[in-house]
């Protein structure tokens, strides 16, 4: 297999996960794509690796992202983990269609490079290990949309297509997304070793030493693993709580919050049947496969807490006291509410959040739910309601109810001495105008399937700067037209 020494120096690359015992992974090469084509590369993500735009046009870069080359001196690998899927223990899982190429020391720290859709591994179960262009475009765009919103996420480096055929509901073409993260370790990695204290200690030491050194308790010669595990759990719980608040405040629904899709670093991980809400429904389900509504918008914080409890259970083998683990998780709700209320205050243009504001906030969600107002625009237009009232009222089929809420909201604003123009500008920095609505992603997919990547270009540019209005692109801020066909996304998306 080729090496990418042109892109990275040998002393710039490593694979820290490969330092773990061999039972944690399997070394194997990705599946090579036939006549791969670089459909898109992301300079913003490339900069995290110290790459320049000119590097993205080289054959070496295409070879790396197509699975035809490897980092200098590193054999790719797939990791093993376990987890709960839709609330049911699924046993052993793992990187069934992903290959970890290794780590690169970039200007802002180490980033792991992983290919998704790069072929079968020992953990594929019944899968073929491939990804299709449709799902790959969705992940590529979504991760950058979240980054543009300031929400912790894996990043998308490149999208590579091919003419290789893949059978899903229909025959589609195979594609690979190259994605980046400081680490792809999941809750499921810890769950996999829940009955092996020795292996769990190894994993815990690896994670803490690389990403959570402040959580370490004890001495080098005598580590206190139970105390370390509890401190790690508390930190992961707080990160996850803040992430959930951010999801809720932009109307993002993940769709598959299985424990194996939860990042130990608190990143948004694994974009499948996600959705940014158009018409608001508190119990909105974005995943057609989720027939019981387990992962609806209004359940996401509770599901995250449930997943954290499963993570805590996997740490019992280290000798952690159940009461200590419970204490580590006890702050989830307060951390979530603090982040949620602070974020909602910014979106409303309030200088602070007061206990009595909870009623105003709850009534806001009730208003949007009852009238199915557009999530994103209802917030965005609220910032200019003093001068563009009709734009905001047009989102509500029964505007009298919206007017009644607005009177109460404006009375609350009257308590602030902040100038109206300053408040409106601040709200526009908290309320995006552009989000990755499903119909926009679908437009990009359909164009890409016909060899046209201009919609990916346009969306990437908009989504990396979602708070800035762009002249001539007003349609990209709008929900789908009433006569547009309904889009259904599922676990195959």
């Amino acid at each position: 297999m080729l090496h990418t020494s042109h892109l990275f120096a040998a002393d710039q690359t490593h694979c820290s996960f490969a330092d773990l015992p061999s039972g944690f992974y399997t070394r194997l090469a990705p599946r090579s794509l036939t006549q791969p084509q670089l459909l898109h590369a992301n300079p913003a993500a490339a900069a995290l690796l110290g790459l320049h735009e000119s590097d993205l046009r080289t054959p070496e870069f295409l070879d790396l992202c197509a699975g035809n080359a490897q980092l200098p001196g590193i054999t790719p690998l797939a990791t093993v983990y376990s987890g709960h899927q839709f609330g049911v223990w699924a046993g052993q899982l793992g990187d069934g269609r992903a290959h970890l190429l290794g780590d690169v020391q970039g200007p802002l720290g180490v980033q792991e490079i992983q290919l998704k859709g790069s072929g079968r591994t020992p953990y594929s179960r019944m899968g073929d290990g491939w990804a299709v262009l449709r799902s790959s475009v969705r992940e590529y765009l979504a991760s950058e949309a979240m980054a543009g919103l300031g929400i912790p996420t894996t990043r998308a480096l490149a999208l590579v297509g091919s003419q290789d055929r893949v059978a899903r509901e229909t025959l589609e073409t195979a594609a690979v997304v190259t994605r980046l993260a400081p680490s792809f370790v999941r809750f499921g990695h810890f769950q996999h070793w829940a009955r092996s204290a020795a292996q769990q200690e190894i994993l815990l030491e690896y994670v803490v030493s690389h990403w959570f050194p402040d959580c370490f308790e004890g001495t080098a010669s005598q580590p206190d693993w139970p105390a370390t595990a509890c401190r790690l759990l508390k930190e992961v719980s707080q990160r996850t709580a803040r992430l959930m608040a951010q999801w809720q405040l932009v109307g993002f629904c993940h769709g598959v919050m299985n424990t194996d899709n939860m990042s130990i670093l608190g990143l948004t991980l694994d974009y499948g049947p996600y959705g940014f809400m158009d018409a608001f429904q508190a119990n909105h389900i974005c995943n057609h496969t989720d027939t019981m509504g387990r992962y609806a918008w209004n359940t996401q914080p509770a599901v995250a807490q449930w997943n954290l409890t499963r993570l805590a259970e996997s740490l019992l083998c280290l000798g952690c006291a159940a009461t200590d683990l419970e204490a580590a998780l006890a702050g989830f709700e307060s951390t979530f509410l603090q982040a949620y209320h602070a974020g909602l205050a910014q979106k409303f243009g309030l200088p602070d959040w007061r206990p009595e504001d909870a009623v105003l906030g709850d009534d806001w969600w009730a208003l949007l739910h009852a009238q199915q107002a557009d999530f994103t625009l209802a917030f965005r237009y609220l910032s200019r309601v003093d001068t563009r009232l009709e734009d905001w009222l047009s989102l509500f089929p029964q505007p009298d109810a919206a007017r009644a809420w607005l009177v109460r909201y404006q009375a609350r604003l009257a308590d602030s001495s902040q100038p109206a123009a300053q408040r409106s500008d601040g709200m526009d920095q908290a309320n995006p105008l552009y989000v990755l609505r499903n119909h926009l992603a679908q437009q990009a997919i359909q164009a890409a399937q016909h060899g046209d990547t201009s919609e990916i270009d346009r969306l990437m540019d908009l989504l990396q700067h979602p708070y800035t209005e762009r002249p001539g692109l007003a349609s990209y801020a709008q929900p789908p037209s009433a006569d547009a066909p309904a889009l259904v996304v599922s676990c195959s998306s």
Side-chain angles (χ1 to χ4, degrees):
M1 179 171 281
L2 299 172
H3 293 273
T4 55
S5 55
H6 171 78
L7 298 174
F8 306 109
D11 62 356
Q12 190 184 358
T13 61
H14 182 57
C15 186
S16 64
F17 204 93
D19 294 336
L20 297 174
S22 60
F24 285 80
Y25 57 84
T26 299
R27 295 182 188 271
L28 75 167
R31 173 191 66 101
S32 297
L33 291 174
T34 303
Q35 296 182 324
Q37 295 177 300
L38 182 64
L39 301 180
H40 207 275
N42 180 11
L48 298 174
L49 303 176
L51 296 178
H52 302 287
E53 287 197 49
S54 58
D55 294 317
L56 310 185
R57 297 188 290 270
T58 62
E60 290 87 350
F61 183 77
L62 173 58
D63 285 334
L64 180 73
C65 298
N68 295 332
Q70 62 189 41
L71 296 176
I74 300 172
T75 302
L77 58 84
T79 72
V80 63
Y81 47 83
S82 297
H84 287 80
Q85 298 190 327
F86 290 92
V88 177
W89 177 246
Q92 179 180 300
L93 302 166
D95 293 328
R97 55 175 178 166
H99 291 74
L100 181 63
L101 300 186
D103 320 332
V104 172
Q105 177 66 55
L108 299 178
V110 174
Q111 294 285 327
E112 292 185 347
I113 304 179
Q114 187 187 72
L115 303 184
K116 183 174 180 180
S118 45
R120 195 190 305 271
T121 77
Y123 317 117
S124 299
R125 297 195 290 177
M126 300 299 292
D128 56 25
W130 296 345
V132 296
L133 180 62
R134 167 174 49 95
S135 63
S136 300
V137 170
R138 284 178 57 82
E139 171 140 3
Y140 186 74
L141 290 172
S143 54
E144 290 310 293
M146 294 295 266
L149 291 166
I151 298 175
T153 179
T154 57
R155 299 296 299 272
L157 175 64
L159 173 65
V160 175
S162 75
Q163 295 304 310
D164 295 312
R165 308 296 282 179
V166 179
R168 293 294 184 262
E169 287 86 350
T170 61
L171 279 179
E172 303 184 55
T173 55
V176 173
V177 172
T178 306
R179 56 187 188 175
L180 310 178
S183 174
F184 287 93
V185 172
R186 307 149 184 267
F187 290 12
H189 282 98
F190 285 90
Q191 288 185 284
H192 186 73
W193 302 111
R195 299 191 178 188
S196 173
Q199 300 293 74
Q200 194 75 294
E201 283 184 9
I202 292 171
L203 179 61
L204 178 63
E205 181 178 20
Y206 168 71
V207 169
V208 169
S209 64
H210 282 81
W211 299 286
F212 300 93
D214 291 344
C215 293
F216 180 77
E217 291 282 356
T219 65
S221 60
Q222 194 169 3
D224 186 340
W225 293 126
T228 298
C230 289
R231 290 194 64 180
L232 173 66
L233 181 64
K234 181 178 180 179
E235 176 64 25
V236 174
S237 175
Q238 291 176 343
R239 291 190 185 199
T240 304
R242 290 191 289 267
L243 180 68
M244 292 303 105
Q246 290 176 290
W247 284 7
Q248 300 304 94
L249 290 168
V250 296
F252 176 77
C253 302
H254 185 280
V256 196
M257 288 180 64
N258 298 332
T259 58
D260 59 295
N261 292 337
M262 299 292 292
S263 161
I264 205 73
L265 297 185
L267 308 175
T268 310
L269 176 68
D270 287 342
Y271 294 91
Y274 66 83
F276 287 88
M277 262 195 281
D278 296 319
F280 178 74
Q281 288 283 278
N283 58 346
H284 175 72
I285 304 166
C286 69
N287 180 1
H288 185 68
T289 310
D290 185 12
T291 56
M292 302 300 292
R294 177 178 178 82
Y295 300 139
W297 176 83
N298 60 353
T299 67
Q300 290 184 142
V303 169
Q305 196 169 23
W306 189 91
N307 289 344
L308 285 160
T309 303
R310 306 289 79 77
L311 173 61
E313 290 169 351
S314 74
L315 301 175
L316 287 168
C317 67
L318 294 170
C320 303
T323 53
D324 291 339
L325 293 170
E326 290 170 2
L329 295 177
F332 177 91
E333 184 174 354
S334 61
T335 301
F336 168 80
L337 288 175
Q338 182 179 18
Y340 166 75
H341 287 148
L344 195 55
Q346 288 183 312
K347 293 175 79 68
F348 281 158
L350 303 177
D352 55 10
W353 183 266
R354 304 173 185 174
E356 58 268 27
D357 292 331
V359 176
L360 185 70
D362 289 346
D363 290 348
W364 166 258
W365 297 123
L367 173 67
L368 266 58
H369 180 88
Q371 304 212 25
Q372 297 189 39
D374 186 82
F375 184 105
T376 301
L377 295 183
F379 276 108
R380 180 74 178 197
Y381 289 178
L382 188 62
S383 70
R384 307 291 170 178
V385 75
D386 292 339
T387 57
R388 299 173 62 178
L389 175 61
E390 293 307 314
D391 288 346
W392 184 74
L393 288 175
S394 69
L395 302 173
F396 302 91
Q398 297 174 322
D400 286 347
R403 287 180 185 274
W405 182 88
L406 186 62
V407 169
R408 296 165 52 205
Y409 168 69
Q410 290 176 323
R412 172 66 175 90
L413 291 181
D415 287 345
S416 170
S417 59
Q418 186 179 33
Q422 183 180 344
R423 182 183 67 248
S424 296
D425 290 343
M427 291 174 68
D428 284 348
Q429 294 305 308
N431 295 305
L433 181 59
Y434 308 106
V435 295
L436 185 59
R437 299 173 186 269
N438 272 336
H439 76 283
L440 297 178
Q442 187 62 24
Q443 288 174 195
I445 291 166
Q446 291 174 339
Q449 288 171 335
H450 290 89
D452 178 5
T453 60
S454 62
E455 279 299 304
I456 296 178
D457 286 332
R458 188 172 295 110
L459 284 173
M460 286 286 279
D461 184 43
L462 284 176
L463 296 170
Q464 288 175 339
H465 308 281
Y467 302 98
T468 303
E469 185 171 0
R470 301 294 187 87
L473 296 177
S475 63
Y476 286 85
Q478 299 300 313
S481 61
D483 59 352
L487 290 173
V488 175
V489 293
S490 65
C491 286
S492 71
S493 301

